[in-house]
Amino acid sequence: MESNFIKTIMEEDLKSGKVDKIVTRFPPEPSAYLHIGHARAIIMNFELADNFNGRTNLRFDDTNPSNEDKSFVDAIQRDIEWLGYKPAKILFGSDYFDESYELAVKLIRKGLAYVCDLNADEMREYRGTLTTTGKESPYRNRNIEENLDLFSRMKAGEFKDGEKTLRAKIDMTSPNMNMRDPVIYRIMHTEHQNTGNKWCIYPMYDFAHPIQDALEGITHSLCSLEYDDHRVLYDWFVEKCEMEHVPHQYEFGRLNITNTIMSKRYLKKLVEANKVNGFDDPRMPTLAGLKRRGFTKESIKEFIISTGLSRVNSTVSSEMLENSLRNDLNYKVKRSHAVIDPLKVTITNYPEDKIEWIEVPYNPQNEALGSRKIAFGRTVYIEREDFIEEKPNKKWKRLALGIEVRLMRAYFIKCNEVIKDKDGNITELLCTYDLETKSGSGFNERKPNGNIHFVEATTSKPATFNLLEPLLIDSDSKKDLFERLNPNSWVTSVGFIEKALESTKSEEKFQFIRKGYFTTDYDSSKENLIFNRTVELKSRFK
RNA sequence: UGGGCUAUGGCCAAGCGGUUAAGGCAUCGGACUUUGACUCCGAGAUCGGAAGUUCAAAUCUUCCUAGCCCAGCCA
């Protein structure tokens, strides 16, 4: 990882002796699946700590049972494991409910917290606005005994939701809204995924988080920019609760990607409205979706690292993510032949029943991947887009009427005739091949007008290709999300793959030559082959 | 005169008073090529603006401008 401001801070803290070990934590709220934006937080927390031989905890931030669900904690754990990280500890905010209750009592005893009877509307009024100060709650000066009594009765369930809150007594005139007597405990008669019905009061994030960090010995508590002005509150709680260990919060900018929805709320809406097939739909920017689509953990790490870390909310172009996948897979993966949109070609001068098997390395740039044989015969399929009747210009490096191209790893073929149906659609090409031009023969008399890939008709296997594009197409507006959806985000095409791939297994990755990187989908089987196009190849054409 | 944060090529991002201002993505040239892929060469910024401090400033100061965040009993 290259230099960034947090890494610099850690180096300095280690050097000055402020800390002797870096301890970070990743604190997701289990209220949805993790997305690529979270990957920045995960990867930075783990990599930074690891860089200094420190450690990282996973702590589920489950202080609001109305949002959270066990299924999400499981999904989050799977994703982190997939990325290859092992938390030093797996914890829950709810593990600290007893301690935080005691600390709240401590604040009351110190005269720094009070039970408030204002309802939500009243509290909003009393809070003031961005430009006007707030005014003190009439309950602000209850005596300590009364506060203690009321708070224990809140805990005991004597009051209804919203009837009372516990608030920190700070400063209603502070220009920082967070300091205007923030609520630290609210009443919620809601069952918790971890603690069941033990509690009916739950701590707020601003109170719970610093305490948990302190209790856990976190040294560098990383979060996103919007918590910047919560930091004084964070420090206030650590100080007033007299925490032995003093953690520090550092904020970094969020990562956005062009054409990508990065909001939990929207992702949930897409799933709930059935606009996608669940959180792991291959079009989703969730880690689970990216995995299914074919992204590797290595590519995601490279992307995050290469994107850096700063105090700017950045929007990186999606090409950068795609590039990281291509870089990772280029030498790593088999390169095979697949025809996604087939056009039948008959080689009229090739024997009727003959099939030739030609030995071809899987990846000429990585011999370790071995080789297989590809078939050639009288009938083959090429990509429909690789043929045009009349060669439009000298740049056209594919087939055309009267033009000769090389079928990769096989022979030169020349197109002599185009067969069309009554609507004028091309249904078949009649070509001739030249025996002398066999690949590897050293034939050098003529140059073909390009090289195109193909698949032999009788030996190839039918396959479905999922051609995935961004879910979001309309970048410029603040329009409703559903109006910005790309109607072509998932186009399906039926074509053929070479025989050697017929036993491919779920998640196996390939480069289909000239067509892009593909991954065998979870639902694929030998009888029903399905591939997801992860990304296309780069192209200078067009 | 609410408060906080940010500003380096199209997009990210190093840089922390003295370097020809790293690198990646994108773009544009060119070489190579049985993938219009890969690879390889080559091209581009004086650092939001204005003043100031200094022998010397992207790096320090001041003012200005623009953008983002904050008025949940969400996180």
Side-chain angles (χ1 to χ4, degrees):
Chain A
M1 179 182 346
E2 72 179 39
S3 168
N4 64 60
F5 76 102
I6 291 178
K7 191 176 176 185
T8 303
I9 289 169
M10 289 176 169
E11 279 163 1
E12 287 166 355
D13 288 350
L14 250 7
K15 194 176 168 192
S16 71
K18 184 175 171 184
V19 303
D20 43 44
K21 195 174 192 72
I22 302 294
V23 185
T24 62
R25 105 268 88 121
F26 174 61
E29 184 189 24
S31 59
Y33 275 53
L34 261 18
H35 55 67
I36 182 75
H38 292 113
R40 169 180 265 183
I42 297 170
I43 292 170
M44 287 300 170
N45 271 296
F46 279 94
E47 294 291 336
L48 246 8
D50 188 60
N51 189 268
F52 297 106
N53 293 309
R55 60 173 192 271
T56 305
N57 293 341
L58 167 61
R59 185 176 70 228
F60 290 97
D61 215 331
D62 58 350
T63 54
N64 184 349
S66 62
N67 290 339
E68 298 143 11
D69 192 89
K70 177 77 163 68
S71 71
F72 295 128
V73 344
D74 295 340
I76 288 169
Q77 279 192 70
R78 280 199 301 275
D79 289 341
I80 292 172
E81 191 177 321
W82 175 58
L83 286 179
Y85 295 114
K86 289 176 188 51
K89 293 179 185 168
I90 297 177
L91 302 158
F92 292 83
S94 50
D95 296 340
Y96 301 99
F97 281 172
D98 289 319
E99 287 95 328
S100 49
Y101 180 81
E102 289 310 322
L103 288 167
V105 168
K106 179 176 199 159
L107 290 180
I108 294 172
R109 289 218 164 91
K110 293 175 79 172
L112 294 173
Y114 62 96
V115 172
C116 184
D117 296 4
L118 254 25
N119 66 35
D121 289 335
E122 293 164 336
M123 200 178 290
R124 188 177 316 116
E125 267 177 50
Y126 275 76
R127 185 158 35 232
T129 71
L130 295 178
T131 52
T132 60
T133 61
K135 57 183 188 215
E136 297 185 350
S137 162
Y139 306 97
R140 196 174 202 258
N141 295 310
R142 289 220 247 236
N143 67 54
I144 290 174
E145 287 316 311
E146 189 183 358
N147 280 321
L148 252 15
D149 174 59
L150 255 15
F151 187 47
S152 73
R153 288 164 61 195
M154 281 169 64
K155 180 193 179 195
E158 286 188 34
F159 308 110
K160 293 199 278 288
D161 288 8
E163 210 174 310
K164 287 182 169 24
T165 57
L166 183 71
R167 296 225 260 164
K169 190 190 284 188
I170 308 182
D171 178 8
M172 290 308 289
T173 69
S174 172
N176 182 341
M177 301 294 284
N178 298 301
M179 300 301 273
R180 322 243 264 228
D181 288 12
V183 171
I184 61 184
Y185 260 96
R186 77 288 216 184
I187 299 171
M188 263 182 151
H189 291 270
T190 304
E191 184 170 319
H192 187 281
Q193 51 103 9
N194 249 358
T195 60
N197 292 305
K198 179 178 178 193
W199 297 89
C200 63
I201 56 172
Y202 294 97
M204 299 287 288
Y205 168 88
D206 280 328
F207 176 61
H209 209 86
I211 283 169
Q212 294 164 5
D213 284 344
L215 257 13
E216 245 167 86
I218 303 301
T219 54
H220 300 256
S221 181
L222 313 186
C223 62
S224 49
L225 239 36
E226 66 266 32
Y227 291 99
D228 194 315
D229 41 43
H230 291 242
R231 191 175 56 241
V232 296
L233 221 205
Y234 181 102
D235 293 339
W236 191 91
F237 283 125
V238 171
E239 185 199 328
K240 303 302 183 191
C241 290
E242 299 166 39
M243 303 308 291
E244 218 169 295
H245 173 80
V246 179
H248 291 278
Q249 173 183 298
Y250 300 93
E251 312 83 21
F252 59 81
R254 280 181 185 269
L255 173 67
N256 297 292
I257 301 175
T258 55
N259 287 326
T260 306
I261 312 160
M262 288 277 237
S263 139
K264 253 189 198 181
R265 200 176 127 245
Y266 282 158
L267 295 179
K268 277 183 122 162
K269 269 172 94 175
L270 287 173
V271 172
E272 283 157 10
N274 284 313
K275 297 291 183 185
V276 295
N277 305 316
F279 277 103
D280 72 342
D281 184 299
R283 294 166 297 179
M284 290 283 270
T286 51
L287 293 176
L290 290 166
K291 176 173 185 271
R292 181 166 197 169
R293 183 175 179 137
F295 280 89
T296 59
K297 61 184 170 198
E298 291 82 1
S299 67
I300 288 174
K301 280 187 206 173
E302 188 200 298
F303 168 70
I304 295 298
I305 299 293
S306 70
T307 234
L309 192 67
S310 72
R311 285 180 62 87
V312 175
N313 283 319
S314 55
T315 302
V316 170
S317 97
S318 54
E319 282 125 348
M320 213 157 155
L321 211 208
E322 297 182 346
N323 183 265
S324 68
L325 195 265
R326 295 191 194 101
N327 274 344
D328 184 35
L329 262 30
N330 183 29
Y331 299 119
K332 205 154 117 176
V333 122
K334 292 175 180 174
R335 298 176 185 175
S336 310
H337 289 199
V339 173
I340 289 164
D341 183 15
L343 174 59
K344 182 179 175 185
V345 174
T346 300
I347 319 272
T348 54
N349 61 340
Y350 196 87
E352 200 76 50
D353 299 313
K354 185 176 174 189
I355 296 289
E356 275 183 72
W357 290 93
I358 305 162
E359 182 94 18
V360 178
Y362 266 124
N363 185 334
Q365 296 175 344
N366 178 1
E367 292 189 6
L369 260 18
S371 64
R372 85 298 193 187
K373 290 186 163 71
I374 61 170
F376 182 72
R378 189 171 209 266
T379 309
V380 303
Y381 296 112
I382 64 168
E383 294 290 348
R384 192 163 280 277
E385 64 171 18
D386 283 341
F387 176 78
I388 194 165
E389 289 191 65
E390 193 181 338
K391 180 173 173 175
N393 53 49
K394 52 271 142 223
K395 290 199 161 189
W396 180 257
K397 301 275 274 302
R398 308 179 183 186
L399 194 59
L401 239 190
I403 296 292
E404 188 178 50
V405 299
R406 170 162 29 219
L407 254 21
M408 287 179 69
R409 322 318 306 211
Y411 299 92
F412 288 13
I413 60 165
K414 183 175 181 178
C415 182
N416 307 304
E417 195 179 337
V418 180
I419 297 176
K420 299 179 182 177
D421 63 17
K422 45 241 162 254
D423 302 320
N425 302 310
I426 299 172
T427 56
E428 183 180 350
L429 265 24
L430 301 183
C431 300
T432 48
Y433 87 118
D434 180 349
L435 183 60
E436 275 193 286
T437 61
K438 182 165 187 178
S439 287
S441 68
F443 178 82
N444 203 16
E445 316 296 298
R446 321 185 284 280
K447 288 289 177 201
N449 187 57
N451 303 287
I452 64 174
H453 62 102
F454 73 100
V455 119
E456 193 279 325
T458 63
T459 56
S460 62
K461 301 294 166 190
T464 299
F465 302 94
N466 293 325
L467 308 178
L468 309 162
E469 284 182 22
L471 270 171
L472 215 54
I473 201 68
D474 187 346
S475 58
D476 21 54
S477 76
K478 299 270 183 195
K479 273 194 286 188
D480 182 70
L481 173 82
F482 289 173
E483 285 171 22
R484 298 170 60 194
L485 291 177
N486 177 2
N488 300 315
S489 60
W490 188 330
V491 172
T492 268
S493 179
V494 177
F496 300 93
I497 59 166
E498 58 172 289
K499 182 172 170 58
L501 270 47
E502 67 182 338
S503 299
T504 180
K505 299 203 185 62
S506 176
E507 291 192 70
E508 189 177 7
K509 291 163 180 58
F510 302 95
Q511 180 194 121
F512 288 153
I513 287 179
R514 302 208 307 139
K515 300 311 294 179
Y517 290 97
F518 287 73
T519 297
T520 310
D521 188 69
Y522 299 165
D523 291 339
S524 181
S525 65
K526 195 162 179 177
E527 297 68 41
N528 183 23
L529 293 157
I530 304 170
F531 298 92
N532 296 325
R533 183 173 68 195
T534 316
V535 305
E536 295 185 71
L537 255 29
K538 271 199 282 191
S539 174
R540 278 186 250 212
F541 180 58
K542 279 172 193 173

